[in-house]
Amino acid sequence: MDLTADSLGYAREKLANFDAGRVRVMQQDLNLLEEYKSAVKCDLVISFHNVLSFVQHPYQVIETFCGILNPGGYLCLVVPN
C-alpha cells in the first residue's frame, strides 16, 4: 500500500519476479485506512522507511494495522526513536 502510483508501479515490477498470488498492491492514504478495516485481512503488515512519521495520527494507523491482522498475524514497524 502506498500513496503514490509511481511507488506502486515499482512494487508491481518487483513482484513480477515472484509468485505473488497472495500479495495485494493498493493505492491508499494511510490516514484513511480505517474504511478498509473490515474489508482487508492479512497475516503480515510491514511499515518501513519511517512511514508513520508522515501520517497525521500514527497511533490510529497502528491500531488499524492491528485490526486488519488475522489472529496470530505479525506487525513489523520501523519508526523513529
Side-chain angles (χ1 to χ4, degrees), residues 47-65:
S47 176
F48 57 97
H49 293 302
N50 198 18
V51 169
L52 290 174
S53 69
F54 296 102
V55 296
Q56 294 171 349
H57 305 288
Y59 294 111
Q60 287 178 344
V61 172
I62 292 169
E63 286 177 355
T64 302
F65 284 162

Side-chain angles (χ1 to χ4, degrees), residues 20-49:
R22 294 179 55 196
V23 176
R24 189 180 324 173
V25 177
M26 300 170 60
Q27 186 170 0
Q28 178 62 34
D29 182 342
L30 289 180
N31 292 300
L32 305 174
L33 186 60
E34 181 68 26
E35 63 192 63
Y36 284 93
K37 193 173 183 176
S38 62
V40 175
K41 291 291 181 184
C42 58
D43 297 318
L44 174 65
V45 172
I46 302 172
S47 176
F48 57 97
H49 293 302

